[in-house]
Amino acid sequence: MVTFSRAFAVLGSLVTAAARSKQEIAENARWLLHETSWGYLTSSSNKVPFTDTFSFSDGAAENSTGRIFFYVMGGFSDAFPEGMPAALTVSEAEIDSSRCNRKSPSLDPEDPRCAKLTLSGNLTKSSGADIAIGKAVLFARHPQMQHWPSSHHFEVHELILRDIWLIDFFGGGE
C-alpha cells in the first residue's frame, strides 16, 4: 500500500525547503509519480526536440514498483534509437490535490509549491519477463490499453532512470 507522506500539504507552511531531509524530498517525488498516470515524455531525434503525452505506470494502485513503464505504438522504436535519452515530466496539477487543481485552484500550476517532477534516463524496449511485468502494471492502471488495436503493434518500454529533479517548494529544485 502506498503510504508516502506529504511534507508540505498545508498552505502557508513557514518551514523552509532547506529544513527538509533528503528522505522527505524522495517521499514527495515517489508520491507524485505514483499519484499521476500520465505525463510529458521529451526526447530528440536528429537533434530536433519533441514532446508527447504518454500514459505510464509505476505499479498497480496500491503497489508502487519504482519502475516506470509505457505502452508505445509500434514504429516508435524504429524512428528512435534503442536506449534514447528521454525525460518524463509530471505535475501535481494533474491530480485532485488540495494545493493545486483546476476545480478550486489555490495555487497556479507554475507555483513552486505545486510539485513538478522530471525523471531523466534512457527509454528502452522491454524484453523477456519485463514485457509481462510492464503489461501487468500498465493494464492495472490503464485497463483500456488491453483493448487497443493489435494492428498498431504496441510495445512495452521502460524509462531507466539516471536523474530525478523535483520542485515542490520555494528555493529551487532538488
Side-chain angles (χ1 to χ4, degrees), residues 6-173:
R6 290 292 292 161
F8 296 97
V10 179
L11 283 173
S13 172
L14 298 177
V15 180
T16 65
R20 297 186 301 162
S21 70
K22 295 290 183 189
Q23 176 70 28
E24 290 171 321
I25 294 165
E27 284 178 1
N28 258 5
R30 283 189 217 93
W31 171 83
L32 182 57
L33 180 67
H34 192 68
E35 290 299 313
T36 54
S37 62
W38 63 270
Y40 297 101
L41 190 67
T42 304
S43 192
S44 66
S45 176
N46 298 319
K47 300 182 181 180
V48 176
F50 74 90
T51 299
D52 202 354
T53 304
F54 277 86
S55 296
F56 67 88
S57 181
D58 75 331
E62 298 299 321
N63 182 29
S64 174
T65 66
R67 297 176 70 184
I68 306 163
F69 290 99
F70 301 86
Y71 208 37
V72 179
M73 191 167 18
F76 181 85
S77 307
D78 300 336
F80 301 97
E82 174 63 19
M84 71 176 183
L88 173 67
T89 300
V90 296
S91 171
E92 187 176 357
E94 174 195 338
I95 60 176
D96 188 18
S97 135
S98 62
R99 296 189 312 164
C100 49
N101 65 52
R102 291 173 290 184
K103 295 175 186 161
S104 59
S106 53
L107 296 177
D108 187 88
E110 192 176 338
D111 188 301
R113 295 168 293 177
C114 185
K116 275 95 41 203
L117 175 67
T118 298
L119 304 162
S120 302
N122 297 87
L123 191 65
T124 61
K125 184 176 172 183
S126 297
S127 61
D130 287 341
I131 294 172
I133 293 167
K135 282 184 177 181
V137 300
L138 283 161
F139 296 169
R141 296 282 296 267
H142 306 280
Q144 69 280 10
M145 286 181 173
Q146 303 176 73
H147 308 291
W148 288 356
S150 60
S151 61
H152 289 230
H153 309 287
F154 284 91
E155 302 168 322
V156 176
H157 284 66
E158 182 175 2
L159 183 61
I160 307 300
L161 296 181
R162 188 178 64 240
D163 190 52
I164 299 169
W165 183 84
L166 171 76
I167 186 163
D168 63 352
F169 206 68
F170 295 104

